[in-house]
Amino acid sequence: MASPYRYTVRTIHGAAKLESELDDLSSEGWEPISFQHDAAGNFEIILRQDHNERPNGTVREREPAASGSESARYTVRSIRAPKFESELTGLSGEGWEALSFQHESAGTYEVVLRREPNSAGRKATSYRYALRSIHGAVKLESQLAELSADGWEPVRLVRDAAGTYEAILRQKTIST
């Protein structure tokens, strides 16, 4: 049987506050599953928290992590489009996983990243990232099929009013 989850929605102002709030919430067992960001610098985050089942079948809330135990760490990076691929690939190699991408003005992306505890001691998967602009649904279909054949998977697709898709893709590179 699937574990039930509790959900909460939080609005947090600013990237620095978001990092510390997510670190704190992670230590309590909360996992972010959705991010929205507005022009005023507010992040609306939807989080879920796993419930643990007791042996007798009753459900109890997950207890906060014991002091001293590690939880996931979060960071927010603003990355300019020309450096998007190399910076995200480098961060992935350091154990960071990109969770959310928001295209800001002037070709900048705001990226929320997570790093699991003990990432150096566990087998980690690194990704190479790519940013592509593709015009039209037919071309998108063929491009995604070609890229998929080379191991690329889309992690974000957004279509503008002119029918151009912005595709962010990743490809597994290393398992250590």
Side-chain angles (χ1 to χ4, degrees), residues 8-20:
T8 189
V9 179
R10 301 283 174 96
T11 300
I12 301 169
H13 182 74
K17 180 95 169 141
L18 177 69
E19 290 177 10
S20 79

Side-chain angles (χ1 to χ4, degrees), residues 6 74 102 130 155 161:
R6 286 184 56 209
Y74 293 87
Q102 175 120 2
V155 291

